[in-house]
Coordinates of all heavy atoms in Angstrom, one line a residue:
A1 N 15.3 0.6 -10.0 CA 14.3 0.4 -8.9 C 13.1 -0.3 -9.4 O 12.6 -1.3 -8.8 CB 13.9 1.7 -8.3
E2 N 12.6 0.1 -10.6 CA 11.5 -0.6 -11.2 C 11.8 -2.1 -11.4 O 10.9 -3.0 -11.1 CB 11.1 0.1 -12.5 CG 9.8 -0.5 -13.1 CD 9.5 0.2 -14.4 OE1 9.8 1.3 -14.6 OE2 8.8 -0.5 -15.2
Y3 N 13.0 -2.4 -11.9 CA 13.4 -3.8 -12.2 C 13.6 -4.5 -10.9 O 13.1 -5.6 -10.7 CB 14.6 -3.8 -13.0 CG 15.2 -5.2 -13.2 CD1 14.6 -6.1 -14.0 CD2 16.3 -5.5 -12.4 CE1 15.1 -7.4 -14.2 CE2 16.8 -6.8 -12.6 CZ 16.3 -7.7 -13.4 OH 16.8 -9.0 -13.5
A4 N 14.4 -4.0 -10.0 CA 14.8 -4.7 -8.8 C 13.7 -4.8 -7.7 O 13.6 -5.8 -7.0 CB 16.0 -4.1 -8.2
L5 N 12.9 -3.7 -7.5 CA 12.0 -3.7 -6.4 C 10.6 -4.1 -6.8 O 9.8 -4.6 -5.9 CB 12.0 -2.3 -5.8 CG 13.4 -1.8 -5.4 CD1 13.3 -0.4 -4.8 CD2 14.1 -2.8 -4.5
Q6 N 10.2 -3.9 -8.0 CA 8.9 -4.4 -8.5 C 7.7 -4.2 -7.5 O 7.4 -5.0 -6.7 CB 9.0 -5.9 -8.8 CG 10.0 -6.2 -9.9 CD 10.4 -7.6 -10.0 OE1 9.9 -8.5 -9.2 NE2 11.1 -8.0 -11.0
N7 N 7.1 -3.0 -7.7 CA 5.9 -2.7 -6.9 C 6.1 -2.6 -5.4 O 5.4 -3.2 -4.6 CB 4.8 -3.7 -7.1 CG 4.4 -3.8 -8.6 OD1 4.3 -2.8 -9.3 ND2 4.1 -5.0 -9.1
L8 N 7.2 -1.9 -5.0 CA 7.4 -1.7 -3.6 C 6.2 -1.3 -2.9 O 5.4 -0.5 -3.3 CB 8.5 -0.6 -3.4 CG 8.8 -0.1 -2.0 CD1 9.5 -1.2 -1.3 CD2 9.6 1.2 -2.0
S9 N 5.9 -1.9 -1.7 CA 4.7 -1.7 -0.9 C 5.1 -1.3 0.5 O 6.1 -1.6 1.0 CB 3.9 -3.0 -0.9 OG 2.7 -2.8 -0.3
L10 N 4.2 -0.5 1.1 CA 4.4 -0.1 2.5 C 3.4 -0.8 3.4 O 2.2 -0.7 3.1 CB 4.2 1.4 2.6 CG 4.4 2.0 4.0 CD1 5.8 1.9 4.5 CD2 3.9 3.4 4.1
A11 N 3.8 -1.5 4.4 CA 2.9 -2.1 5.4 C 2.9 -1.1 6.6 O 4.0 -0.7 7.1 CB 3.5 -3.4 5.9
P12 N 1.7 -0.8 7.1 CA 1.6 0.2 8.2 C 2.3 -0.3 9.5 O 2.4 -1.5 9.7 CB 0.1 0.4 8.4 CG -0.6 -0.7 7.6 CD 0.4 -1.3 6.7
F13 N 2.7 0.6 10.3 CA 3.4 0.2 11.6 C 2.5 -0.7 12.4 O 1.3 -0.5 12.5 CB 3.8 1.5 12.4 CG 4.5 1.1 13.7 CD1 5.8 0.7 13.6 CD2 3.8 1.0 14.9 CE1 6.4 0.2 14.8 CE2 4.4 0.6 16.0 CZ 5.7 0.2 16.0
A14 N 3.2 -1.7 13.0 CA 2.5 -2.6 14.0 C 3.6 -3.1 14.9 O 4.8 -3.1 14.6 CB 1.9 -3.8 13.2
P15 N 3.2 -3.4 16.2 CA 4.2 -3.9 17.1 C 5.1 -5.0 16.6 O 4.5 -5.9 15.9 CB 3.4 -4.3 18.3 CG 2.1 -3.5 18.2 CD 1.9 -3.4 16.7
L16 N 6.3 -5.0 17.0 CA 7.2 -6.1 16.6 C 6.7 -7.5 17.0 O 6.3 -7.6 18.2 CB 8.6 -5.8 17.1 CG 9.2 -4.4 17.0 CD1 10.6 -4.4 17.5 CD2 9.2 -4.0 15.5
G17 N 6.8 -8.4 16.2 CA 6.5 -9.8 16.5 C 5.0 -10.1 16.7 O 4.5 -11.1 17.0
S18 N 4.1 -9.1 16.3 CA 2.7 -9.2 16.6 C 2.0 -9.8 15.4 O 2.5 -9.9 14.3 CB 2.1 -7.8 16.8 OG 2.1 -7.0 15.6
E19 N 0.8 -10.3 15.7 CA -0.1 -10.9 14.6 C -0.5 -9.8 13.6 O -0.6 -10.0 12.4 CB -1.4 -11.4 15.3 CG -1.2 -12.7 16.1 CD -1.0 -13.9 15.2 OE1 -1.2 -13.8 14.0 OE2 -0.6 -14.9 15.8
T20 N -0.6 -8.5 14.1 CA -1.0 -7.4 13.3 C 0.2 -7.2 12.3 O -0.1 -6.9 11.1 CB -1.2 -6.1 14.1 OG1 -2.2 -6.4 15.1 CG2 -1.7 -5.0 13.2
L21 N 1.4 -7.2 12.7 CA 2.5 -7.1 11.8 C 2.5 -8.2 10.8 O 2.7 -8.0 9.6 CB 3.8 -7.1 12.6 CG 5.1 -7.0 11.7 CD1 5.2 -5.7 10.9 CD2 6.3 -7.1 12.6
A22 N 2.3 -9.4 11.2 CA 2.3 -10.6 10.4 C 1.2 -10.4 9.3 O 1.5 -10.7 8.1 CB 2.1 -11.9 11.2
R23 N 0.0 -10.0 9.7 CA -1.1 -9.8 8.7 C -0.8 -8.7 7.7 O -1.0 -8.9 6.5 CB -2.4 -9.6 9.4 CG -3.1 -10.8 10.0 CD -4.5 -10.5 10.4 NE -4.6 -9.3 11.4 CZ -4.5 -9.4 12.7 NH1 -4.3 -10.6 13.2 NH2 -4.6 -8.4 13.4
G24 N -0.2 -7.6 8.2 CA 0.1 -6.5 7.3 C 1.1 -6.8 6.3 O 1.0 -6.5 5.2
A25 N 2.2 -7.5 6.8 CA 3.2 -7.9 5.8 C 2.7 -8.9 4.8 O 3.1 -8.8 3.6 CB 4.4 -8.5 6.6
A26 N 1.9 -9.9 5.3 CA 1.4 -10.9 4.3 C 0.4 -10.2 3.3 O 0.5 -10.6 2.1 CB 0.6 -12.0 5.1
T27 N -0.3 -9.3 3.7 CA -1.2 -8.6 2.8 C -0.4 -7.8 1.8 O -0.7 -7.9 0.6 CB -2.1 -7.6 3.6 OG1 -3.0 -8.3 4.5 CG2 -3.0 -6.8 2.6
A28 N 0.6 -7.1 2.2 CA 1.5 -6.4 1.3 C 2.2 -7.3 0.3 O 2.4 -7.0 -0.8 CB 2.5 -5.5 2.1
A29 N 2.6 -8.5 0.8 CA 3.4 -9.5 0.0 C 2.6 -10.1 -1.1 O 3.2 -10.6 -2.0 CB 3.9 -10.6 0.9
Q30 N 1.3 -9.9 -1.1 CA 0.5 -10.5 -2.2 C 0.8 -9.8 -3.5 O 0.5 -10.4 -4.6 CB -1.0 -10.4 -1.8 CG -1.4 -11.3 -0.7 CD -2.8 -11.1 -0.2 OE1 -3.6 -10.5 -0.9 NE2 -3.1 -11.8 0.9
N31 N 1.3 -8.6 -3.5 CA 1.5 -7.8 -4.7 C 2.9 -7.4 -5.0 O 3.2 -6.7 -5.9 CB 0.6 -6.5 -4.7 CG -0.8 -6.9 -4.6 OD1 -1.3 -7.7 -5.3 ND2 -1.5 -6.2 -3.7
T32 N 3.8 -7.9 -4.2 CA 5.2 -7.4 -4.3 C 6.2 -8.4 -3.7 O 5.8 -9.2 -2.8 CB 5.4 -6.0 -3.7 OG1 6.7 -5.6 -4.0 CG2 5.2 -6.0 -2.2
N33 N 7.5 -8.3 -4.0 CA 8.5 -9.0 -3.3 C 9.4 -8.1 -2.4 O 10.4 -8.5 -1.9 CB 9.4 -9.7 -4.4 CG 8.7 -10.8 -5.1 OD1 7.9 -11.5 -4.5 ND2 9.1 -11.0 -6.3
T34 N 9.0 -6.8 -2.3 CA 9.7 -5.8 -1.6 C 8.7 -5.0 -0.7 O 7.9 -4.3 -1.3 CB 10.5 -4.9 -2.5 OG1 11.2 -5.6 -3.4 CG2 11.5 -4.0 -1.7
I35 N 8.9 -5.1 0.6 CA 8.0 -4.5 1.5 C 8.7 -3.6 2.5 O 9.7 -4.1 3.1 CB 7.2 -5.5 2.3 CG1 6.5 -6.5 1.4 CG2 6.2 -4.8 3.3 CD1 6.1 -7.8 2.1
L36 N 8.3 -2.3 2.6 CA 8.8 -1.5 3.7 C 7.8 -1.6 4.9 O 6.6 -1.5 4.7 CB 8.9 0.0 3.3 CG 10.1 0.5 2.6 CD1 10.0 2.0 2.3 CD2 11.3 0.3 3.5
L37 N 8.4 -1.9 6.0 CA 7.6 -1.9 7.3 C 7.7 -0.5 7.9 O 8.8 -0.2 8.3 CB 8.1 -3.0 8.2 CG 8.1 -4.4 7.6 CD1 8.8 -5.3 8.6 CD2 6.7 -4.9 7.3
E38 N 6.7 0.2 7.9 CA 6.7 1.6 8.4 C 7.4 1.7 9.8 O 7.1 0.9 10.7 CB 5.3 2.2 8.5 CG 5.3 3.6 8.9 CD 3.9 4.2 8.9 OE1 2.9 3.4 9.1 OE2 3.7 5.4 8.8

């Protein structure tokens, strides 16, 4: 998991297709290549 997922991050829930979701995912992506969308 440490090798494959590298700093798994959680983005807080936001409505599908929303600007809020886009911003949350982009913020999480700054530190990881693997993001869980709550």
Side-chain angles (χ1 to χ4, degrees):
E2 183 178 336
Y3 171 76
L5 305 182
Q6 300 167 350
N7 301 321
L8 175 68
S9 185
L10 179 70
F13 179 78
L16 310 184
S18 68
E19 290 286 347
T20 306
L21 177 63
R23 280 192 306 272
T27 298
Q30 291 175 10
N31 300 311
T32 186
N33 289 326
T34 311
I35 306 158
L36 269 180
L37 304 173
E38 186 179 21

